[in-house]
Amino acid sequence: FPVTIGDSIMDTFRCSINDKIINKDLDALKKHNSNFQEIELNIQELLESINQGKAFSPIVFKDNTRTGKNFISAQLLVLDFDKSNLKETLEHEYIKSHASAYYTTPSHRVDGNGDKFRIIFQLPETIIDREMYKSCMVNLLEKFPEADQACKDTARVFYGSKNCTYGYWDRKISLEEFENLKTPKSTREKELNILFKSDHDLHILIMNVEALSTKKGKQFAERFLNCHKSLMATDESTTIKNPGAN
């Protein structure tokens, strides 16, 4: 159920909780990797669970088993900080505008350690595509390169933290926000754009029929053909050459 804070209501989300793993326990993780139970709760309830030491994942897994291929959905993004100042990070304008919660980890200021903490972002939308989730995490990590880069793992687990310090706000980060975090062109896009360069070199483009049948694939092929004096050959015996093909 939603939780009211002042005049606002905290929406619930789905994630996975593992009550068999308390604080950082690698042996328990190996033993109970198939006990990541899907649960619906709000950010305050998640923090209370973390404060009890229970491990969680922002991801819902098929058969409650934590592997990347079992990704079903996610509505949380989590950053893990080991070498940053907690107070300064919480004062970061992006955190103040978009973060939903933070909590300190068990090693926070222990045995001479500095600040160790995590920042949680809640999405109003549910991500059901594993690659989209990973892309969002990659883009968020570009904004905070000092955070642990392993957070983009699509089977990521975060250990609980008994008696931690935590805080939360009724804020969310929209998927639209991630457009602002992407670099203008990926390395892959730059490599593909070489195909459209008009020069005296020989440019070869090979596409399968499945790619050519999509709108994006057709537009890519047309752009390539329009950039060069071209020879086009088609060799496809099922979809194109059969008597019933359009």
Side-chain angles (χ1 to χ4, degrees):
F1 298 97
V3 171
T4 301
I5 300 181
D7 295 328
S8 62
I9 295 178
M10 295 190 71
D11 294 327
T12 59
F13 52 84
R14 307 192 78 83
C15 65
S16 297
I17 299 289
N18 195 325
D19 59 5
K20 303 295 185 183
I21 306 172
I22 303 300
N23 280 2
K24 188 172 184 177
D25 189 334
L26 297 178
D27 291 335
L29 178 61
K30 294 176 182 178
K31 185 177 180 180
H32 300 291
N33 196 52
S34 295
N35 190 59
F36 282 84
Q37 304 291 328
E38 178 181 353
I39 187 171
E40 182 174 355
L41 70 178
N42 58 59
I43 199 72
Q44 180 185 9
E45 292 167 333
L46 173 62
L47 289 167
E48 290 171 352
S49 177
I50 292 170
N51 197 40
Q52 294 170 8
K54 298 176 184 178
F56 83 99
S57 176
I59 299 159
V60 174
F61 300 103
K62 179 182 178 182
D63 299 325
N64 299 326
T65 302
R66 187 186 64 90
T67 65
K69 68 179 182 179
N70 283 351
F71 180 100
I72 292 178
S73 65
Q75 204 173 341
L76 297 177
L77 306 171
V78 184
L79 294 180
D80 191 4
F81 294 86
D82 286 333
K83 300 177 182 179
S84 300
N85 180 278
L86 174 58
K87 183 178 179 181
E88 291 177 0
T89 302
L90 293 181
E91 288 298 316
H92 192 290
E93 287 302 319
Y94 197 87
I95 300 294
K96 290 169 66 175
S97 299
H98 302 293
S100 300
Y102 80 93
Y103 69 95
T104 57
T105 64
S107 58
H108 176 66
R109 298 181 181 176
V110 174
D111 296 331
N113 286 327
D115 293 346
K116 310 281 186 178
F117 57 94
R118 297 184 181 121
I119 304 288
I120 302 174
F121 298 82
Q122 181 179 345
L123 292 157
E125 309 96 334
T126 299
I127 299 174
I128 59 174
D129 181 85
R130 184 173 69 170
E131 291 305 313
M132 180 181 290
Y133 171 81
K134 187 173 182 178
S135 177
C136 287
M137 285 304 309
V138 168
N139 290 323
L140 195 56
L141 285 164
E142 288 179 0
K143 186 72 173 178
F144 296 96
E146 66 273 24
D148 185 354
Q149 296 297 306
C151 291
K152 60 179 175 287
D153 180 10
T154 55
R156 183 70 172 176
V157 59
F158 295 98
Y159 294 106
S161 182
K162 275 190 172 182
N163 303 316
C164 64
T165 299
Y166 64 83
Y168 58 93
W169 312 273
D170 186 21
R171 299 195 292 249
K172 298 181 181 68
I173 183 169
S174 172
L175 284 176
E176 297 178 355
E177 179 64 28
F178 291 101
E179 294 297 324
N180 298 326
L181 302 183
K182 292 180 180 178
T183 53
K185 289 185 179 180
S186 68
T187 301
R188 181 60 176 163
E189 288 174 326
K190 292 179 180 178
E191 290 174 349
L192 291 174
N193 281 336
I194 295 175
L195 291 171
F196 307 124
K197 185 178 179 181
S198 297
D199 52 30
H200 297 293
D201 294 332
L202 177 63
H203 296 264
I204 299 174
L205 174 64
I206 301 174
M207 300 178 67
N208 61 26
V209 70
E210 288 80 13
L212 194 58
S213 298
T214 66
K215 181 179 179 180
K216 187 175 182 180
K218 184 180 178 181
Q219 290 175 342
F220 190 93
E222 288 178 346
R223 182 183 174 191
F224 178 81
L225 292 171
N226 289 329
C227 288
H228 310 283
K229 292 182 178 180
S230 304
L231 172 65
M232 184 176 74
T234 304
D235 180 17
E236 215 297 321
S237 59
T238 302
T239 307
I240 296 176
K241 290 185 178 179
N242 79 78
N246 295 326

